[in-house]
Amino acid sequence: MRMILLDRVTKTYNSKGQALERINLHVEDKEFVVIVGPSGAGKSTLLKLLTREEKPTSGKIIVGGIDYERLRDKDVPFLRRKIGVVFQDFKLLSNRTVFENVAFALEIVGMGNKEIRHTVPKVLDIVGLKGKGESYPSELSGGERQRVAIARAIVRQPKILIADEPTGNLDPKHAWDVIRVLEKINRYGTTVLLTTHNKEIVDKLKRRVVTIKDGKIVEDKARAEYRV
Ligand code: ADP
């Protein structure tokens, strides 16, 4: 099944030029795709179109069978439950524990306490943070914080996980811990989109690599090497 379809998608923010120009991209269910490209290439714009933070100037976007042209504003929260996102800077709540950070994502969709207490430890286990539930983010390493952010992003079982430079602030060992967790989540059946500037990660991952430059996809290769 096709999870993501972009058909001739163009995004123009202002008269200075096009952030994305007639992008065609198909991603299958359960694929792991690495998106690379120099700063300003259009990677974040592409991710923001998928999460509906931005709307395309023209072109078609269909994600998990949802045609964005037909999506009403009130359906956007429903869409966002299908897409988990993690960022370079983690975006955790510093005054809440690890457990509470993850639980929060379930509280806002109305899950009851009993189910939350059952679900959160399972997800912390997946990201390798069993037993860290009562810690505060400040007590964790950068790699552990990013794995809390991943736990929060996947706890509602999204179809797609978007990881936007998740290793940008991490040293190599912690970066690989995070990448291994993304691979595990992908093995469990979630489509993963990863942006990174880390050449070693791209080369060792041996996954499909989509290269964006000046708003265009200039290369789309299975198991490609990094060439920006
Ligand atoms: P990347 O994530 O690859 O660094 P971006 O998608 O952030 O690239 O940016 C692509 C282009 O769009 C750049 O020229 C950038 O300046 C421009 N751009 C991004 N966001 C905005 C915005 N909100 N308003 C105007 N221009 C933007």
Side-chain angles (χ1 to χ4, degrees), residues 13-14 19 37-46 48 54:
Y13 287 107
N14 53 40
S39 190
K43 303 179 298 294
S44 304
T45 300
L46 173 64
K48 283 179 186 159
E54 295 285 352

Side-chain angles (χ1 to χ4, degrees), residues 97-103 118-135 140 144 147-152 154-155 181 184:
T97 64
V98 167
F99 181 97
E100 288 165 348
N101 265 278
V102 179
H118 178 70
T119 305
V120 172
K122 283 206 275 190
V123 178
L124 290 178
D125 194 17
I126 291 173
V127 301
L129 291 176
K130 205 174 170 180
K132 293 277 184 188
E134 298 312 308
S135 300
L140 303 178
E144 288 171 331
R147 284 183 282 138
V148 177
I150 293 172
R152 182 183 55 187
I154 63 165
V155 72
V181 167
K184 186 175 181 182

Side-chain angles (χ1 to χ4, degrees), residues 22 39-40 50 81-82 108 120 136 154 160 162 178 182 191:
R22 290 172 74 85
S39 190
L50 295 175
R81 283 181 216 176
K82 289 180 178 264
I108 59 178
V120 172
Y136 283 87
I154 63 165
I160 301 170
I162 290 177
V178 165
L182 295 179
T191 305

Side-chain angles (χ1 to χ4, degrees), residues 13-225:
Y13 287 107
N14 53 40
S15 56
K16 275 190 267 168
Q18 287 168 340
L20 290 176
E21 197 179 334
R22 290 172 74 85
I23 293 275
N24 293 310
L25 179 67
H26 298 172
V27 177
E28 298 296 317
D29 194 13
K30 302 181 174 56
E31 249 193 293
F32 191 125
V33 182
V34 187
I35 299 169
V36 301
S39 190
K43 303 179 298 294
S44 304
T45 300
L46 173 64
L47 301 181
K48 283 179 186 159
L49 290 171
L50 295 175
T51 55
R52 201 56 170 177
E53 277 168 78
E54 295 285 352
K55 292 182 181 178
T57 309
S58 62
K60 198 168 194 59
I61 302 176
I62 301 177
V63 175
I66 299 175
D67 182 343
Y68 283 22
E69 254 163 13
R70 304 213 184 119
L71 191 69
R72 293 162 297 183
D73 285 345
K74 74 175 176 64
D75 295 328
V76 170
F78 171 74
L79 171 79
R80 298 238 168 99
R81 283 181 216 176
K82 289 180 178 264
I83 307 177
V85 187
V86 297
F87 305 94
Q88 179 168 351
D89 59 356
F90 322 136
K91 298 194 195 299
L92 299 176
L93 300 168
S94 58
N95 57 347
R96 302 206 187 198
T97 64
V98 167
F99 181 97
E100 288 165 348
N101 265 278
V102 179
F104 188 60
L106 298 174
E107 284 163 15
I108 59 178
V109 294
M111 190 184 274
N113 273 336
K114 194 172 163 203
E115 209 179 339
I116 288 175
R117 279 199 301 276
H118 178 70
T119 305
V120 172
K122 283 206 275 190
V123 178
L124 290 178
D125 194 17
I126 291 173
V127 301
L129 291 176
K130 205 174 170 180
K132 293 277 184 188
E134 298 312 308
S135 300
Y136 283 87
S138 60
E139 298 169 320
L140 303 178
S141 71
E144 288 171 331
R145 286 182 209 172
Q146 189 59 288
R147 284 183 282 138
V148 177
I150 293 172
R152 182 183 55 187
I154 63 165
V155 72
R156 296 189 305 219
Q157 300 183 301
K159 297 268 184 235
I160 301 170
L161 179 62
I162 290 177
D164 191 5
E165 281 281 344
T167 62
N169 285 334
L170 306 178
D171 61 41
K173 186 205 170 290
H174 287 122
W176 276 107
D177 289 345
V178 165
I179 296 294
R180 295 297 173 222
V181 167
L182 295 179
E183 290 196 291
K184 186 175 181 182
I185 289 161
N186 177 245
R187 273 200 306 280
Y188 288 176
T190 305
T191 305
V192 175
L193 298 188
L194 165 69
T195 74
T196 181
H197 284 107
N198 187 316
K199 178 183 186 318
E200 193 195 319
I201 287 176
V202 176
D203 290 346
K204 285 197 182 155
L205 261 177
K206 297 193 167 51
R207 298 288 189 155
R208 176 179 172 192
V209 178
V210 173
T211 307
I212 302 183
K213 253 184 198 167
D214 297 331
K216 297 191 187 85
I217 293 180
V218 295
E219 191 167 75
D220 186 344
K221 271 189 151 181
R223 298 168 65 94
E225 304 249 314

